[in-house]
Amino acid sequence: MSDPAAALTREVRDRVAAAPDPRLREILDAAVRHLHGFAAEVGLTPDEWLAGIRFLTAVGHRCDAQRQEFILLSDTLGLSSLVETVAHPSGAATEATVLGPFYVPDAPWRAAGDSIAVADPGGQPVLVRGRVRGPAGAGLPDAVLDVWQCASNGLYDVQDPAQPRGNMRGRFRADGTGGYAFRTSRPVCYPIPDDGPVGELLRAGGRHPWRAAHIHVIVSAAGHQPVTTHLFDAEGSYLDSDAVFGVRPSLVKEFLPQPDGSTLVEHDFVLRAA
Ligand code: BEZ
Ligand code: FE
């Protein structure tokens, strides 16, 4: 017996097979197969289809120069994290995780050992230090660490008019042996922006918007692949329910109390050869 739904899927797949670019052809074919498969599997009704269209339209309306609700949707569905995982298979190198929307290029250069917490009165001081290494373990001279984090009130400088621009951000150059050090505040958990359609979807799905406490770092060095990653606080909450599925066990670090009341994190970053 003929199956009209399967016949329609076949017809659309045959149509997109005309794309001259082989990679586009592969992507379109898989997109049609999975999209049709999804609608057929759940028996998507016309009303549900329309609700989906309205939802995606609302997501688009929340996108501008300051806010990218589509990336937030991708993040909360685990797609951004999946793309990072597929692009950077785990191995000896430092695992990659999501970039997030709060990265700002051209952070201020700071001297080794300086603090990115220019204005964070509530912050608990933390020293982060270690070495940037290549695949064979050798230190990578002059590696660059681009670091950013929210302040202790849970807000990034770009979300908080009370913070000076560049607060909780900095670029650090490693020394001749790949050694690096910077100071910051102990990271806190914070909710991702949930006042838009993605927040509605989280609530409808019985989910919270919280991210596990983390420090963002992009590590780069000449002749090596840069890595966009985080350091998570092992004592923080939400490690097993991070709203954007960013946690990797290899990135969860102990924050070690020091006799002077400060806190130390020691971590080596390992880059792949370019
Ligand atoms: C962040 O860690 O900055 C972030 C990542 C994904 C979505 C929202 C925020
Ligand atoms: Fe963050």
Side-chain angles (χ1 to χ4, degrees):
M1 233 175 56
S2 80
D3 173 351
L8 181 65
T9 301
R10 184 71 259 166
E11 189 183 351
V12 179
R13 288 182 64 194
D14 289 346
R15 197 82 61 88
V16 300
D21 181 88
R23 178 64 176 156
L24 178 62
R25 203 157 61 230
E26 180 183 6
I27 289 172
L28 285 175
D29 184 64
V32 168
R33 266 190 294 114
H34 288 280
L35 202 55
H36 282 222
F38 146 74
E41 180 185 321
V42 301
L44 197 69
T45 67
D47 281 351
E48 288 163 346
W49 170 84
L50 189 58
I53 296 292
R54 290 200 171 115
F55 172 76
L56 292 173
T57 304
V59 169
H61 282 146
R62 286 306 296 260
C63 293
D64 57 27
Q66 269 72 49
R67 176 138 172 186
Q68 232 300 351
E69 195 81 356
F70 270 114
I71 294 184
L72 208 54
L73 179 61
S74 162
D75 293 343
T76 54
L77 292 177
L79 180 61
S80 313
S81 192
L82 180 74
V83 169
E84 283 297 335
T85 302
V86 171
H88 307 279
S90 64
T94 296
E95 285 189 276
T97 188
V98 294
L99 175 71
F102 300 120
Y103 176 66
V104 177
D106 302 321
W109 283 102
R110 301 191 192 278
D114 273 2
S115 183
I116 61 169
V118 174
D120 190 28
Q124 179 187 327
V126 175
L127 171 64
V128 185
R129 72 175 180 212
R131 199 169 300 283
V132 181
R133 300 181 184 279
L140 298 179
D142 300 327
V144 172
L145 294 94
D146 194 341
V147 182
W148 72 104
Q149 192 187 317
C150 67
S152 302
N153 63 0
L155 296 172
Y156 286 85
D157 60 347
V158 291
Q159 298 174 289
D160 182 2
Q163 291 181 46
R165 292 307 85 144
N167 190 38
M168 309 302 295
R169 298 178 190 273
R171 280 182 289 174
F172 295 86
R173 198 173 287 284
D175 65 21
T177 65
Y180 76 88
F182 65 86
R183 286 183 171 75
T184 182
S185 303
R186 190 166 189 153
V188 298
C189 303
Y190 66 88
I192 63 169
D194 69 343
D195 56 345
V198 169
E200 273 176 56
L201 186 64
L202 289 178
R203 285 184 288 280
R207 291 173 55 187
H208 68 72
W210 289 87
R211 288 228 59 202
H214 59 274
I215 303 168
H216 293 262
V217 194
I218 298 175
V219 187
S220 55
H224 292 77
Q225 293 178 30
V227 66
T228 299
T229 191
H230 291 8
L231 296 176
F232 290 95
D233 184 342
E235 281 175 38
S237 304
Y238 307 112
L239 286 167
D240 54 5
S241 66
D242 183 44
V244 302
F245 305 91
V247 179
R248 314 276 183 269
S250 67
L251 305 178
V252 178
K253 300 297 300 180
E254 297 296 336
F255 282 57
L256 306 163
Q258 300 299 291
D260 66 356
S262 72
T263 302
L264 174 66
V265 178
E266 291 188 296
H267 187 72
D268 285 3
F269 294 96
V270 180
L271 302 187
R272 289 190 172 79

mmCIF file of all heavy atoms in Angstrom, residues 55-100:
data_model
loop_
_atom_site.group_PDB
_atom_site.id
_atom_site.type_symbol
_atom_site.label_atom_id
_atom_site.label_comp_id
_atom_site.label_asym_id
_atom_site.label_seq_id
_atom_site.Cartn_x
_atom_site.Cartn_y
_atom_site.Cartn_z
ATOM 1 N N PHE A 55 6.181 30.724 17.205
ATOM 2 C CA PHE A 55 7.286 30.725 18.167
ATOM 3 C C PHE A 55 8.576 31.181 17.473
ATOM 4 O O PHE A 55 9.282 32.063 17.967
ATOM 5 C CB PHE A 55 7.460 29.332 18.776
ATOM 6 C CG PHE A 55 8.693 29.220 19.633
ATOM 7 C CD1 PHE A 55 8.712 29.780 20.907
ATOM 8 C CD2 PHE A 55 9.840 28.595 19.156
ATOM 9 C CE1 PHE A 55 9.858 29.712 21.691
ATOM 10 C CE2 PHE A 55 10.977 28.524 19.932
ATOM 11 C CZ PHE A 55 10.997 29.078 21.207
ATOM 12 N N LEU A 56 8.884 30.593 16.309
ATOM 13 C CA LEU A 56 10.131 30.959 15.612
ATOM 14 C C LEU A 56 10.103 32.419 15.167
ATOM 15 O O LEU A 56 11.131 33.105 15.181
ATOM 16 C CB LEU A 56 10.369 30.027 14.419
ATOM 17 C CG LEU A 56 10.695 28.576 14.813
ATOM 18 C CD1 LEU A 56 10.752 27.680 13.576
ATOM 19 C CD2 LEU A 56 12.013 28.498 15.579
ATOM 20 N N THR A 57 8.906 32.910 14.801
ATOM 21 C CA THR A 57 8.777 34.325 14.436
ATOM 22 C C THR A 57 9.089 35.206 15.647
ATOM 23 O O THR A 57 9.824 36.196 15.540
ATOM 24 C CB THR A 57 7.349 34.607 13.914
ATOM 25 O OG1 THR A 57 7.089 33.713 12.829
ATOM 26 C CG2 THR A 57 7.198 36.040 13.441
ATOM 27 N N ALA A 58 8.574 34.813 16.817
ATOM 28 C CA ALA A 58 8.842 35.576 18.045
ATOM 29 C C ALA A 58 10.335 35.541 18.374
ATOM 30 O O ALA A 58 10.915 36.541 18.816
ATOM 31 C CB ALA A 58 8.019 35.015 19.206
ATOM 32 N N VAL A 59 10.972 34.397 18.141
ATOM 33 C CA VAL A 59 12.426 34.295 18.378
ATOM 34 C C VAL A 59 13.152 35.305 17.472
ATOM 35 O O VAL A 59 14.035 36.041 17.924
ATOM 36 C CB VAL A 59 12.922 32.850 18.129
ATOM 37 C CG1 VAL A 59 14.445 32.788 18.114
ATOM 38 C CG2 VAL A 59 12.373 31.907 19.200
ATOM 39 N N GLY A 60 12.742 35.350 16.206
ATOM 40 C CA GLY A 60 13.372 36.295 15.270
ATOM 41 C C GLY A 60 13.184 37.739 15.710
ATOM 42 O O GLY A 60 14.100 38.554 15.597
ATOM 43 N N HIS A 61 11.997 38.043 16.246
ATOM 44 C CA HIS A 61 11.737 39.424 16.665
ATOM 45 C C HIS A 61 12.576 39.824 17.885
ATOM 46 O O HIS A 61 12.674 41.011 18.181
ATOM 47 C CB HIS A 61 10.240 39.617 16.951
ATOM 48 C CG HIS A 61 9.435 39.767 15.695
ATOM 49 N ND1 HIS A 61 8.143 39.295 15.564
ATOM 50 C CD2 HIS A 61 9.741 40.305 14.495
ATOM 51 C CE1 HIS A 61 7.697 39.551 14.347
ATOM 52 N NE2 HIS A 61 8.662 40.163 13.676
ATOM 53 N N ARG A 62 13.133 38.853 18.601
ATOM 54 C CA ARG A 62 14.003 39.201 19.743
ATOM 55 C C ARG A 62 15.479 39.249 19.351
ATOM 56 O O ARG A 62 16.349 39.202 20.226
ATOM 57 C CB ARG A 62 13.810 38.205 20.899
ATOM 58 C CG ARG A 62 12.507 38.382 21.658
ATOM 59 C CD ARG A 62 12.273 39.794 22.187
ATOM 60 N NE ARG A 62 13.224 40.251 23.179
ATOM 61 C CZ ARG A 62 13.011 40.252 24.488
ATOM 62 N NH1 ARG A 62 11.873 39.827 24.975
ATOM 63 N NH2 ARG A 62 13.928 40.699 25.323
ATOM 64 N N CYS A 63 15.778 39.252 18.064
ATOM 65 C CA CYS A 63 17.182 39.324 17.631
ATOM 66 C C CYS A 63 17.527 40.738 17.172
ATOM 67 O O CYS A 63 16.816 41.314 16.358
ATOM 68 C CB CYS A 63 17.432 38.359 16.470
ATOM 69 S SG CYS A 63 17.302 36.630 16.955
ATOM 70 N N ASP A 64 18.584 41.288 17.723
ATOM 71 C CA ASP A 64 19.117 42.566 17.246
ATOM 72 C C ASP A 64 20.607 42.586 17.558
ATOM 73 O O ASP A 64 21.191 41.545 17.860
ATOM 74 C CB ASP A 64 18.368 43.754 17.896
ATOM 75 C CG ASP A 64 18.439 43.716 19.415
ATOM 76 O OD1 ASP A 64 19.409 43.150 19.955
ATOM 77 O OD2 ASP A 64 17.525 44.250 20.066
ATOM 78 N N ALA A 65 21.216 43.761 17.498
ATOM 79 C CA ALA A 65 22.677 43.835 17.696
ATOM 80 C C ALA A 65 23.065 43.392 19.110
ATOM 81 O O ALA A 65 24.177 42.924 19.341
ATOM 82 C CB ALA A 65 23.163 45.249 17.424
ATOM 83 N N GLN A 66 22.149 43.538 20.079
ATOM 84 C CA GLN A 66 22.469 43.196 21.469
ATOM 85 C C GLN A 66 22.069 41.776 21.853
ATOM 86 O O GLN A 66 22.621 41.192 22.768
ATOM 87 C CB GLN A 66 21.753 44.157 22.451
ATOM 88 C CG GLN A 66 22.565 45.385 22.821
ATOM 89 C CD GLN A 66 22.649 46.343 21.657
ATOM 90 O OE1 GLN A 66 21.648 46.659 21.048
ATOM 91 N NE2 GLN A 66 23.855 46.777 21.312
ATOM 92 N N ARG A 67 21.069 41.255 21.172
ATOM 93 C CA ARG A 67 20.503 39.985 21.631
ATOM 94 C C ARG A 67 20.289 39.052 20.457
ATOM 95 O O ARG A 67 19.765 39.463 19.418
ATOM 96 C CB ARG A 67 19.170 40.268 22.337
ATOM 97 C CG ARG A 67 18.448 39.012 22.760
ATOM 98 C CD ARG A 67 17.884 39.176 24.119
ATOM 99 N NE ARG A 67 17.022 38.058 24.476
ATOM 100 C CZ ARG A 67 16.321 38.011 25.567
ATOM 101 N NH1 ARG A 67 16.347 39.019 26.406
ATOM 102 N NH2 ARG A 67 15.581 36.953 25.844
ATOM 103 N N GLN A 68 20.668 37.769 20.624
ATOM 104 C CA GLN A 68 20.520 36.788 19.547
ATOM 105 C C GLN A 68 19.713 35.610 20.098
ATOM 106 O O GLN A 68 20.267 34.627 20.588
ATOM 107 C CB GLN A 68 21.907 36.343 19.070
ATOM 108 C CG GLN A 68 22.112 36.454 17.580
ATOM 109 C CD GLN A 68 21.141 35.610 16.755
ATOM 110 O OE1 GLN A 68 20.384 34.785 17.261
ATOM 111 N NE2 GLN A 68 21.149 35.827 15.453
ATOM 112 N N GLU A 69 18.383 35.753 20.024
ATOM 113 C CA GLU A 69 17.509 34.735 20.609
ATOM 114 C C GLU A 69 17.623 33.394 19.873
ATOM 115 O O GLU A 69 17.418 32.346 20.471
ATOM 116 C CB GLU A 69 16.064 35.250 20.597
ATOM 117 C CG GLU A 69 15.098 34.471 21.471
ATOM 118 C CD GLU A 69 15.154 34.856 22.957
ATOM 119 O OE1 GLU A 69 16.000 35.691 23.347
ATOM 120 O OE2 GLU A 69 14.331 34.317 23.729
ATOM 121 N N PHE A 70 17.991 33.395 18.576
ATOM 122 C CA PHE A 70 18.158 32.119 17.859
ATOM 123 C C PHE A 70 19.335 31.334 18.422
ATOM 124 O O PHE A 70 19.262 30.113 18.570
ATOM 125 C CB PHE A 70 18.335 32.339 16.348
ATOM 126 C CG PHE A 70 17.026 32.329 15.601
ATOM 127 C CD1 PHE A 70 16.559 33.467 14.984
ATOM 128 C CD2 PHE A 70 16.262 31.159 15.536
ATOM 129 C CE1 PHE A 70 15.343 33.466 14.320
ATOM 130 C CE2 PHE A 70 15.052 31.146 14.871
ATOM 131 C CZ PHE A 70 14.589 32.299 14.261
ATOM 132 N N ILE A 71 20.436 32.048 18.746
ATOM 133 C CA ILE A 71 21.578 31.320 19.331
ATOM 134 C C ILE A 71 21.174 30.794 20.707
ATOM 135 O O ILE A 71 21.509 29.663 21.078
ATOM 136 C CB ILE A 71 22.838 32.209 19.401
ATOM 137 C CG1 ILE A 71 23.302 32.546 17.981
ATOM 138 C CG2 ILE A 71 23.958 31.479 20.165
ATOM 139 C CD1 ILE A 71 24.597 33.340 17.892
ATOM 140 N N LEU A 72 20.409 31.605 21.455
ATOM 141 C CA LEU A 72 19.947 31.155 22.769
ATOM 142 C C LEU A 72 19.079 29.893 22.632
ATOM 143 O O LEU A 72 19.172 28.956 23.434
ATOM 144 C CB LEU A 72 19.140 32.292 23.398
ATOM 145 C CG LEU A 72 19.098 32.383 24.914
ATOM 146 C CD1 LEU A 72 20.491 32.412 25.525
ATOM 147 C CD2 LEU A 72 18.312 33.611 25.344
ATOM 148 N N LEU A 73 18.241 29.862 21.584
ATOM 149 C CA LEU A 73 17.409 28.676 21.327
ATOM 150 C C LEU A 73 18.308 27.472 21.029
ATOM 151 O O LEU A 73 18.119 26.378 21.589
ATOM 152 C CB LEU A 73 16.463 28.959 20.156
ATOM 153 C CG LEU A 73 15.544 27.815 19.735
ATOM 154 C CD1 LEU A 73 14.621 27.405 20.890
ATOM 155 C CD2 LEU A 73 14.709 28.215 18.514
ATOM 156 N N SER A 74 19.304 27.681 20.163
ATOM 157 C CA SER A 74 20.249 26.611 19.838
ATOM 158 C C SER A 74 20.971 26.143 21.106
ATOM 159 O O SER A 74 21.138 24.930 21.326
ATOM 160 C CB SER A 74 21.252 27.146 18.801
ATOM 161 O OG SER A 74 22.398 26.343 18.750
ATOM 162 N N ASP A 75 21.367 27.108 21.950
ATOM 163 C CA ASP A 75 22.080 26.768 23.197
ATOM 164 C C ASP A 75 21.201 25.905 24.110
ATOM 165 O O ASP A 75 21.650 24.895 24.651
ATOM 166 C CB ASP A 75 22.463 28.042 23.960
ATOM 167 C CG ASP A 75 23.507 28.888 23.246
ATOM 168 O OD1 ASP A 75 24.179 28.375 22.328
ATOM 169 O OD2 ASP A 75 23.634 30.077 23.603
ATOM 170 N N THR A 76 19.939 26.315 24.284
ATOM 171 C CA THR A 76 19.082 25.631 25.258
ATOM 172 C C THR A 76 18.556 24.291 24.730
ATOM 173 O O THR A 76 18.056 23.480 25.505
ATOM 174 C CB THR A 76 17.892 26.517 25.680
ATOM 175 O OG1 THR A 76 17.195 26.933 24.495
ATOM 176 C CG2 THR A 76 18.355 27.729 26.457
ATOM 177 N N LEU A 77 18.688 24.082 23.415
ATOM 178 C CA LEU A 77 18.342 22.764 22.851
ATOM 179 C C LEU A 77 19.577 21.872 22.750
ATOM 180 O O LEU A 77 19.504 20.759 22.208
ATOM 181 C CB LEU A 77 17.686 22.925 21.471
ATOM 182 C CG LEU A 77 16.298 23.581 21.495
ATOM 183 C CD1 LEU A 77 15.768 23.773 20.077
ATOM 184 C CD2 LEU A 77 15.304 22.764 22.327
ATOM 185 N N GLY A 78 20.725 22.382 23.229
ATOM 186 C CA GLY A 78 21.956 21.577 23.213
ATOM 187 C C GLY A 78 22.615 21.519 21.846
ATOM 188 O O GLY A 78 23.603 20.808 21.672
ATOM 189 N N LEU A 79 22.071 22.268 20.866
ATOM 190 C CA LEU A 79 22.633 22.181 19.511
ATOM 191 C C LEU A 79 24.022 22.823 19.449
ATOM 192 O O LEU A 79 24.943 22.261 18.853
ATOM 193 C CB LEU A 79 21.680 22.851 18.505
ATOM 194 C CG LEU A 79 22.146 22.840 17.052
ATOM 195 C CD1 LEU A 79 22.313 21.419 16.527
ATOM 196 C CD2 LEU A 79 21.165 23.610 16.162
ATOM 197 N N SER A 80 24.188 23.986 20.102
ATOM 198 C CA SER A 80 25.497 24.665 20.084
ATOM 199 C C SER A 80 26.555 23.761 20.699
ATOM 200 O O SER A 80 27.672 23.638 20.186
ATOM 201 C CB SER A 80 25.424 25.981 20.865
ATOM 202 O OG SER A 80 24.290 26.716 20.511
ATOM 203 N N SER A 81 26.196 23.118 21.806
ATOM 204 C CA SER A 81 27.136 22.241 22.500
ATOM 205 C C SER A 81 27.469 21.024 21.627
ATOM 206 O O SER A 81 28.627 20.592 21.549
ATOM 207 C CB SER A 81 26.516 21.811 23.828
ATOM 208 O OG SER A 81 27.468 21.200 24.639
ATOM 209 N N LEU A 82 26.457 20.486 20.942
ATOM 210 C CA LEU A 82 26.674 19.339 20.051
ATOM 211 C C LEU A 82 27.612 19.707 18.901
ATOM 212 O O LEU A 82 28.534 18.951 18.562
ATOM 213 C CB LEU A 82 25.335 18.844 19.497
ATOM 214 C CG LEU A 82 25.435 17.640 18.559
ATOM 215 C CD1 LEU A 82 25.727 16.366 19.333
ATOM 216 C CD2 LEU A 82 24.171 17.474 17.738
ATOM 217 N N VAL A 83 27.391 20.883 18.324
ATOM 218 C CA VAL A 83 28.237 21.321 17.202
ATOM 219 C C VAL A 83 29.692 21.449 17.667
ATOM 220 O O VAL A 83 30.619 21.026 16.976
ATOM 221 C CB VAL A 83 27.693 22.643 16.604
ATOM 222 C CG1 VAL A 83 28.691 23.266 15.634
ATOM 223 C CG2 VAL A 83 26.369 22.386 15.891
ATOM 224 N N GLU A 84 29.899 22.018 18.876
ATOM 225 C CA GLU A 84 31.264 22.123 19.420
ATOM 226 C C GLU A 84 31.875 20.732 19.614
ATOM 227 O O GLU A 84 33.045 20.504 19.308
ATOM 228 C CB GLU A 84 31.258 22.853 20.774
ATOM 229 C CG GLU A 84 31.108 24.351 20.664
ATOM 230 C CD GLU A 84 32.274 25.010 19.934
ATOM 231 O OE1 GLU A 84 33.392 24.447 19.925
ATOM 232 O OE2 GLU A 84 32.073 26.071 19.345
ATOM 233 N N THR A 85 31.081 19.814 20.147
ATOM 234 C CA THR A 85 31.582 18.465 20.438
ATOM 235 C C THR A 85 31.966 17.737 19.155
ATOM 236 O O THR A 85 32.995 17.069 19.093
ATOM 237 C CB THR A 85 30.502 17.669 21.200
ATOM 238 O OG1 THR A 85 30.194 18.387 22.390
ATOM 239 C CG2 THR A 85 30.978 16.289 21.580
ATOM 240 N N VAL A 86 31.139 17.886 18.108
ATOM 241 C CA VAL A 86 31.431 17.214 16.838
ATOM 242 C C VAL A 86 32.661 17.846 16.178
ATOM 243 O O VAL A 86 33.513 17.147 15.612
ATOM 244 C CB VAL A 86 30.192 17.280 15.904
ATOM 245 C CG1 VAL A 86 30.535 16.788 14.510
ATOM 246 C CG2 VAL A 86 29.050 16.461 16.497
ATOM 247 N N ALA A 87 32.774 19.186 16.296
ATOM 248 C CA ALA A 87 33.897 19.874 15.641
ATOM 249 C C ALA A 87 35.220 19.607 16.361
ATOM 250 O O ALA A 87 36.281 19.654 15.747
ATOM 251 C CB ALA A 87 33.631 21.379 15.584
ATOM 252 N N HIS A 88 35.162 19.368 17.678
ATOM 253 C CA HIS A 88 36.386 19.165 18.461
ATOM 254 C C HIS A 88 36.256 17.877 19.243
ATOM 255 O O HIS A 88 35.940 17.906 20.440
ATOM 256 C CB HIS A 88 36.611 20.338 19.429
ATOM 257 C CG HIS A 88 36.579 21.676 18.772
ATOM 258 N ND1 HIS A 88 37.650 22.208 18.107
ATOM 259 C CD2 HIS A 88 35.594 22.599 18.653
ATOM 260 C CE1 HIS A 88 37.336 23.390 17.613
ATOM 261 N NE2 HIS A 88 36.087 23.646 17.932
ATOM 262 N N PRO A 89 36.476 16.719 18.584
ATOM 263 C CA PRO A 89 36.317 15.448 19.296
ATOM 264 C C PRO A 89 37.243 15.402 20.505
ATOM 265 O O PRO A 89 38.345 15.937 20.450
ATOM 266 C CB PRO A 89 36.724 14.399 18.270
ATOM 267 C CG PRO A 89 36.946 15.107 16.988
ATOM 268 C CD PRO A 89 37.041 16.565 17.250
ATOM 269 N N SER A 90 36.785 14.776 21.578
ATOM 270 C CA SER A 90 37.607 14.781 22.793
ATOM 271 C C SER A 90 38.831 13.904 22.575
ATOM 272 O O SER A 90 38.853 12.997 21.758
ATOM 273 C CB SER A 90 36.795 14.318 23.995
ATOM 274 O OG SER A 90 36.412 12.997 23.814
ATOM 275 N N GLY A 91 39.857 14.209 23.272
ATOM 276 C CA GLY A 91 41.135 13.515 23.168
ATOM 277 C C GLY A 91 41.992 14.100 24.262
ATOM 278 O O GLY A 91 41.470 14.439 25.312
ATOM 279 N N ALA A 92 43.273 14.255 23.974
ATOM 280 C CA ALA A 92 44.165 14.793 24.996
ATOM 281 C C ALA A 92 43.985 16.304 25.153
ATOM 282 O O ALA A 92 44.323 16.873 26.188
ATOM 283 C CB ALA A 92 45.602 14.477 24.631
ATOM 284 N N ALA A 93 43.460 16.977 24.112
ATOM 285 C CA ALA A 93 43.394 18.435 24.146
ATOM 286 C C ALA A 93 42.253 18.910 25.054
ATOM 287 O O ALA A 93 41.310 18.165 25.341
ATOM 288 C CB ALA A 93 43.209 18.970 22.737
ATOM 289 N N THR A 94 42.345 20.172 25.468
ATOM 290 C CA THR A 94 41.297 20.797 26.282
ATOM 291 C C THR A 94 39.973 20.770 25.528
ATOM 292 O O THR A 94 39.917 21.121 24.344
ATOM 293 C CB THR A 94 41.702 22.253 26.599
ATOM 294 O OG1 THR A 94 42.878 22.218 27.406
ATOM 295 C CG2 THR A 94 40.600 22.994 27.331
ATOM 296 N N GLU A 95 38.925 20.348 26.203
ATOM 297 C CA GLU A 95 37.612 20.268 25.545
ATOM 298 C C GLU A 95 37.037 21.665 25.317
ATOM 299 O O GLU A 95 37.190 22.552 26.159
ATOM 300 C CB GLU A 95 36.651 19.449 26.398
ATOM 301 C CG GLU A 95 36.944 17.966 26.333
ATOM 302 C CD GLU A 95 35.864 17.163 27.011
ATOM 303 O OE1 GLU A 95 35.921 17.020 28.238
ATOM 304 O OE2 GLU A 95 34.949 16.689 26.307
ATOM 305 N N ALA A 96 36.361 21.803 24.186
ATOM 306 C CA ALA A 96 35.704 23.064 23.855
ATOM 307 C C ALA A 96 34.296 23.062 24.440
ATOM 308 O O ALA A 96 33.707 22.009 24.682
ATOM 309 C CB ALA A 96 35.619 23.223 22.342
ATOM 310 N N THR A 97 33.769 24.262 24.668
ATOM 311 C CA THR A 97 32.340 24.367 25.015
ATOM 312 C C THR A 97 31.802 25.675 24.445
ATOM 313 O O THR A 97 32.497 26.361 23.700
ATOM 314 C CB THR A 97 32.116 24.194 26.534
ATOM 315 O OG1 THR A 97 30.711 24.117 26.773
ATOM 316 C CG2 THR A 97 32.712 25.304 27.364
ATOM 317 N N VAL A 98 30.558 26.006 24.770
ATOM 318 C CA VAL A 98 29.861 27.100 24.071
ATOM 319 C C VAL A 98 30.538 28.457 24.275
ATOM 320 O O VAL A 98 31.091 28.745 25.333
ATOM 321 C CB VAL A 98 28.388 27.196 24.523
ATOM 322 C CG1 VAL A 98 27.623 25.954 24.087
ATOM 323 C CG2 VAL A 98 28.278 27.381 26.030
ATOM 324 N N LEU A 99 30.468 29.290 23.255
ATOM 325 C CA LEU A 99 30.996 30.664 23.338
ATOM 326 C C LEU A 99 30.062 31.538 24.165
ATOM 327 O O LEU A 99 30.521 32.328 24.996
ATOM 328 C CB LEU A 99 31.143 31.238 21.921
ATOM 329 C CG LEU A 99 31.574 32.687 21.809
ATOM 330 C CD1 LEU A 99 33.030 32.860 22.208
ATOM 331 C CD2 LEU A 99 31.368 33.213 20.385
ATOM 332 N N GLY A 100 28.761 31.413 23.931
ATOM 333 C CA GLY A 100 27.795 32.269 24.619
ATOM 334 C C GLY A 100 27.726 33.646 23.989
ATOM 335 O O GLY A 100 28.560 34.000 23.160
#
